[in-house]
Amino acid sequence: MSITNFPAGQGSASAGIPVTKVTMPALAEMKRQGKPISALTAYDYSSSRLADEAGIDLLLVGDSLAMVVLGHENTLAVTVDEMLHHTRAVRRAVRRALVVSDMPFGSYHGTVAEGLANAVRFVKEAGAEAVKIEGPRMGLVRALTEAEIPVVGHLGLTPQSLHRMGGYRVQARTAETAEKLKHDALALAEAGAGALVLEGVPREVAGAITAGLPIPTIGIGAGPECDGQILVYHDLLGLTFAPAAKFVRRYADAGSLVREAIEHYREDVEHRLFPSDLESYHLPQAARTESETESEKAEAPGKA
Ligand code: KIV
C-alpha cells in the first residue's frame, strides 16, 4: 500500500482554471461560443485527477480500456462490470470535467430495454454523467434521452464494428458513405444525443457535419474543424507499444520516463542503495539504548 498523503481533489487549481462543473448543456454552449472542447480518455483515479486538474473538459472512460489497460487485442472483450469498476475510480477523481462512460460491446446491441437497463447502471452505480454508444442507434438514443440519461453518439470508425468493417479503416471516403454519415449524425442529434464523437473520417466530411449539426462534434482522426478533440490517454503520453496512428500527437514520452525510473529503482535495490538510512524507520533513542545494553549483556554474559 501507499500511505503517501492523497487529500481530496481541489479541482483544477494547478492549471489556474476555476472549478465550474462541465455539464452536457455546457458543451452545447461551448459550441455556440466557438470554444473548442478538450477531451481525453480516463481509466483510473490518479491519471483522471491529473487530467481534471489540467483542465480537460470531458473525460471518457473509453472501452479502449480493454486494450490500453487490460491488454486485450481489441475493445470487444471488456464487460459492463469492468467498465463500471473503472468509471467509479474516475468519478472519485474528477471535480470539473464531464464524466462519460462508454457502453461496451454487447451491452446495448440487443433490445432497447436491455440497453437502457445497462445505461442506468452506469449512472446509478458508477456516477457517469453521460454514456457513449457507437452507431446510428436512434431508438436507443431516444429511450435514453427520455430516461434522462445524456448520450454521446459515436460515428465513423466505430471500433466495436471491427469485424464488420474488416479492420480499423477510415470511413466515409465516398460521396455516398459521406452522405450517409451526415444523415446519421443529424438523426442522432434529432433523437436527443448531446454530442457526437467522429472517429476516423476525412477532415472535409467531419467539417461539413460539424457545420450542419446543432450539437458539438468531438473528433479523433477527424481533422481540426470538429468542435472538440479527444485522444486516448496512453497515445497522448507515449505509453503504447506500437507506432502511433497518423492522427495521434504524442505530447510526452512517458513510456521511456517510466521504464528508466523503474530500471533505476531496480539497480538501486540490487546495489543496496535503496532504501537509505533517511528512508528507514528507527527505534526511539530509549529503546535503542535498552537494546544496546541487552546485546552487550548477551555478548558478555559473565559481566555485571
Ligand atoms: O474508447 C475510446 O477510447 C474511444 C475513443 C473515441 C477515444 O471511444
Side-chain angles (χ1 to χ4, degrees):
M1 75 167 193
S2 167
I3 53 169
T4 306
N5 204 1
F6 217 164
Q10 300 300 311
S12 306
S14 67
I17 297 166
V19 184
T20 304
K21 185 77 185 75
V22 179
T23 59
M24 205 61 153
L27 294 186
E29 186 53 30
M30 288 175 79
K31 177 174 175 108
R32 271 191 292 278
Q33 294 182 5
K35 263 174 104 177
I37 297 163
S38 58
L40 188 63
T41 62
Y43 314 100
D44 64 28
Y45 181 90
S46 55
S47 58
S48 307
R49 186 161 158 187
L50 292 172
D52 192 45
E53 291 180 0
I56 291 291
D57 298 314
L58 184 157
L59 285 170
L60 169 71
V61 188
D63 62 353
S64 47
L65 163 74
M67 300 169 79
V68 297
V69 175
L70 303 179
H72 292 292
E73 214 174 283
N74 55 50
T75 62
L76 303 180
V78 72
T79 65
V80 169
D81 285 337
E82 286 166 335
M83 292 297 298
L84 289 170
H85 176 76
H86 286 267
T87 301
R88 286 186 202 107
V90 172
R91 183 61 279 167
R92 285 192 281 269
V94 170
R95 297 285 172 276
R96 177 181 173 273
L98 183 76
V99 175
V100 181
S101 272
D102 240 345
M103 293 194 56
F105 177 66
S107 68
Y108 60 98
H109 298 76
T111 64
V112 166
E114 281 163 0
L116 178 58
N118 281 321
V120 166
R121 292 192 67 193
F122 279 94
V123 177
K124 212 181 186 57
E125 298 177 32
E129 294 161 323
V131 295
K132 177 166 84 57
I133 60 172
E134 296 185 5
R137 296 172 192 276
M138 280 58 93
L140 179 57
V141 171
R142 227 171 273 119
L144 295 173
T145 306
E146 275 169 22
E148 312 295 352
I149 299 175
V151 186
V152 175
H154 183 164
L155 293 175
L157 193 171
T158 46
Q160 291 176 12
S161 320
L162 167 69
H163 297 314
R164 176 182 57 74
M165 293 183 306
Y168 298 116
R169 300 180 201 291
V170 175
Q171 302 293 299
R173 302 185 77 169
T174 64
E176 196 188 346
T177 51
E179 215 34 61
K180 159 106 174 75
L181 191 68
K182 281 184 210 165
H183 172 271
D184 289 346
L186 266 176
L188 281 178
E190 277 163 18
L196 177 66
V197 168
L198 287 174
E199 177 166 1
V201 298
R203 171 181 182 169
E204 298 76 14
V205 177
I209 291 175
T210 300
L213 212 60
I215 59 171
T217 59
I218 299 173
I220 175 163
E225 280 82 19
C226 293
D227 296 303
Q229 297 293 329
I230 185 162
L231 278 178
V232 168
Y233 179 88
H234 294 66
D235 288 343
L236 180 151
L237 290 174
L239 287 168
T240 50
F241 300 90
K246 173 180 173 141
F247 62 83
V248 169
R249 188 179 296 176
R250 266 180 163 203
Y251 284 85
D253 185 7
S256 300
L257 195 76
V258 169
R259 188 180 288 109
E260 279 161 26
I262 295 172
E263 274 170 11
H264 195 167
Y265 161 70
R266 175 184 55 74
E267 284 162 10
D268 280 357
V269 170
E270 287 173 2
H271 295 103
R272 296 197 182 283
L273 293 169
F274 175 83
S276 67
D277 187 55
L278 275 176
E279 289 155 337
S280 306
Y281 294 110
H282 293 280
L283 276 173
Q285 191 54 51
R288 242 195 273 181
T289 317
E290 199 177 310
S291 106
E292 275 162 17
T293 315
E294 289 304 317
S295 4
E296 275 163 23
K297 274 192 212 161
E299 275 165 26
K303 280 193 183 169

